[in-house]
Amino acid sequence: MALIQPFKAVRPPKDKAAVVASRSYEDYSKAERKAHLEFNPFSFLHIINPGYKFKKTISGVERFSLVRNRYLEFKEDHVFIQDPEPVFYVYKTRTRNHSFCGILAGTSAEDYKNNVIKKHEDTLEKREQLFKEYLKTVGFNAEPVLLTYPDNNSVQEIVEEVTAGVPEYEFTSIDRITHYLWKLDDKKKIEELKSAFAQMDSLYIADGHHRSASSYLLAEELKAENPDHDGSEPYNFFMSYLIPESHLKISEFNRMVKDLNGLTKQEFLVKLDEWYRIENRGSELYKPSKKHHFGMYLDGEFYSLYLRKSIYEFTDSLSELDTQILYETVLKPILGINDLRNDTRISYGYGQHNVVKMKDLIDNDKFKVGFGLVPVSVEEMKNIADEGLQMPPKSTYIEPKLRSGLIVYEF
């Protein structure tokens, strides 16, 4: 039984939505960030980069307090206003090739604790604690956790009815993504939507494992500090963007390694032959098209690698995952990469033209060898979450990527 709640969003008025909303901070180059901060006084980047006002880089706890101050200034200047009643929000984005549509809602920290909201990635305790302290200081969350659920006719009918109306926001950002937002404020529809989700056994985290873990830690801490706690307080929920599985887009991360761990090319290929049937594809770009098949680029040539299933043992959902197979058969035993998160010899790439980028980096001696994979499926992601397992890092690049500052959830 999944619990979702409407909430009173803090958000920009219609005429400022397009200039307030920003991509995630890391998604901008240094030059782009500087241009936005210099020429757009309404950008949400001013809140999350508060040191710009003082022409100074500020970090740690001092930054948290200044983020809070910039946020309050946006409210004082009516760049942010708060809706008077709790509602749900339907948010849609459209690119040239894809359309995503889902529901912004408060989701339950207790559901996270009880594994109704399921995870497929491990989290780092240090990052959880740091972000928990950040949330406690600033008092808001401006970037929702991305959750997915099985396609549901009842939910879809409500969404279609809402999106048939005039949107609250409609604008196109400079990356050519068109954004739409509707308020779902009909009390009957609100209850119908809550009821539809209450009949679902599970929700799955697609993106935002650290955000959801930190929100749960904050809820536990504030609960312990509140003698009048009754479970209805905003801190018992965290903002999520709930999207049906059919709308989710998962792309692969390729792997690139800087050396062959002291092996010659011939020695490396001989060791690889133990696990894979190897075919030389020459200089023509090659991408794998099936599970358990891999592409490899080495010394100016592409190879296809076909797993020898007779010697590789499948024991659970994780063992069947291609990123795990590559780690267990190549990266760890042959190339000596044990720590996928911290080893500086390995790097990751994603995107439509990533095979070309990978080839260019290797041809320019930035890396020695690269591996291409097929994307992880939603079903694989769910199976791993259901079994309480964790994927290797950089197993999935998941879209949609959401704007910060368009909808803000206050604790």
Side-chain angles (χ1 to χ4, degrees):
M1 175 177 174
L3 176 62
I4 67 168
Q5 285 281 74
F7 64 101
K8 296 189 286 187
V10 175
R11 57 190 182 89
K14 290 182 183 181
D15 63 325
K16 292 186 176 64
V19 291
V20 169
S22 73
R23 307 197 304 272
S24 67
Y25 185 81
E26 295 78 11
D27 199 32
Y28 293 93
S29 68
K30 188 175 180 181
E32 280 184 300
R33 280 197 298 267
K34 182 179 179 183
H36 278 275
L37 289 165
E38 188 169 348
F39 298 109
N40 180 5
F42 302 115
S43 173
F44 189 74
L45 291 173
H46 284 281
I47 291 177
I48 56 178
N49 188 21
Y52 179 80
K53 182 176 182 178
F54 306 105
K55 306 300 179 186
K56 180 182 176 184
T57 300
I58 299 172
S59 59
V61 177
E62 184 182 14
R63 173 179 168 267
F64 299 171
S65 298
L66 290 178
V67 167
R68 175 69 178 171
N69 290 345
R70 294 293 87 74
Y71 174 69
L72 293 176
E73 288 169 7
F74 266 47
K75 292 183 73 175
E76 291 162 3
D77 294 339
H78 304 292
V79 179
F80 276 145
I81 55 177
Q82 187 166 29
D83 283 328
E85 298 294 333
V87 301
F88 290 120
Y89 302 86
V90 177
Y91 178 50
K92 178 180 178 179
T93 56
R94 191 182 71 236
T95 69
R96 288 176 175 177
N97 302 314
H98 298 281
S99 181
F100 305 101
C101 188
I103 299 155
L104 286 158
T107 47
S108 168
E110 281 293 309
D111 281 356
Y112 178 87
K113 174 184 178 181
N114 296 327
N115 208 35
V116 174
I117 295 175
K118 294 189 174 182
K119 314 93 180 162
H120 67 263
E121 285 185 8
D122 203 3
T123 52
L124 302 175
E125 185 178 357
K126 185 176 180 180
R127 283 188 62 190
E128 289 179 12
Q129 292 291 337
L130 182 66
F131 195 60
K132 185 259 294 180
E133 290 304 318
Y134 170 80
L135 292 175
K136 188 174 184 180
T137 302
V138 303
F140 67 85
N141 197 337
E143 190 174 348
V145 172
L146 181 61
L147 298 181
T148 190
Y149 60 90
D151 288 47
N152 181 285
N153 289 335
S154 298
V155 174
Q156 186 61 25
E157 287 174 8
I158 295 171
V159 168
E160 287 178 358
E161 184 175 330
V162 172
T163 56
V166 178
E168 186 81 3
Y169 299 149
E170 181 180 350
F171 64 90
T172 300
S173 47
I174 58 175
D175 52 4
R176 299 185 178 182
I177 298 175
T178 303
H179 305 259
Y180 308 87
L181 184 90
W182 293 264
K183 288 172 66 174
L184 198 174
D185 54 6
D186 181 279
K187 288 183 169 52
K188 182 182 177 184
K189 294 297 178 188
I190 287 174
E191 292 305 315
E192 288 177 1
L193 192 62
K194 289 172 68 175
S195 177
F197 277 92
Q199 295 173 45
M200 297 181 192
D201 294 329
S202 303
L203 304 173
Y204 294 84
I205 299 175
D207 193 19
H209 284 78
H210 281 93
R211 272 170 279 151
S212 47
S214 301
S215 297
Y216 164 68
L217 291 176
L218 178 62
E220 290 293 288
E221 184 171 310
L222 295 180
K223 174 182 175 180
E225 294 175 359
N226 182 5
D228 299 318
H229 172 87
D230 63 13
S232 65
E233 297 85 357
Y235 60 70
N236 293 292
F237 301 87
F238 55 92
M239 181 169 64
S240 293
Y241 183 51
L242 299 130
I243 191 167
E245 291 173 6
S246 62
H247 283 216
L248 208 60
K249 183 175 184 291
I250 304 179
S251 303
E252 73 281 6
F253 274 98
N254 291 346
R255 274 87 168 112
M256 296 170 287
V257 182
K258 291 184 177 179
D259 58 66
L260 297 182
N261 197 28
L263 301 171
T264 65
K265 173 184 174 181
Q266 288 71 26
E267 290 170 339
F268 173 67
L269 289 173
V270 168
K271 287 183 176 292
L272 203 59
D273 190 77
E274 178 185 349
W275 292 101
Y276 296 92
R277 180 166 61 87
I278 305 170
E279 292 185 10
N280 189 317
R281 299 278 181 163
S283 59
E284 187 176 345
L285 290 176
Y286 174 76
K287 289 185 70 174
S289 58
K290 292 188 200 176
K291 276 174 59 68
H292 312 330
H293 294 182
F294 301 86
M296 182 175 74
Y297 186 67
L298 172 67
D299 196 24
E301 295 179 307
F302 283 94
Y303 296 81
S304 54
L305 309 179
Y306 301 93
L307 181 68
R308 298 187 190 279
K309 297 179 184 178
S310 60
I311 63 169
Y312 183 89
E313 185 179 3
F314 296 113
T315 57
D316 54 26
S317 294
L318 181 60
S319 70
E320 295 184 14
L321 195 71
D322 283 349
T323 52
Q324 183 71 11
I325 292 171
L326 191 68
Y327 173 67
E328 294 288 354
T329 60
V330 182
L331 299 178
K332 182 179 178 181
I334 301 177
L335 295 178
I337 294 173
N338 295 297
D339 186 348
L340 292 171
R341 293 185 183 277
N342 299 309
D343 196 315
T344 57
R345 295 169 55 226
I346 188 168
S347 188
Y348 305 89
Y350 68 89
Q352 182 180 359
H353 305 294
N354 186 53
V355 175
V356 176
K357 294 175 187 174
M358 181 176 75
K359 178 182 183 299
D360 288 344
L361 287 168
I362 293 171
D363 287 345
N364 287 290
D365 297 324
K366 303 293 184 184
F367 296 91
K368 184 67 177 177
V369 63
F371 301 93
L373 299 84
V374 297
V376 172
S377 69
V378 172
E379 202 59 37
E380 286 179 296
M381 184 184 77
K382 289 172 61 179
N383 288 341
I384 285 172
D386 288 342
E387 292 177 29
L389 304 170
Q390 283 87 40
M391 293 183 185
K394 303 295 184 184
S395 287
T396 57
Y397 180 82
I398 295 181
E399 295 176 279
K401 297 296 183 188
L402 304 176
R403 284 299 195 271
S404 296
L406 194 62
I407 292 287
V408 178
Y409 182 90
E410 286 191 347
F411 306 115

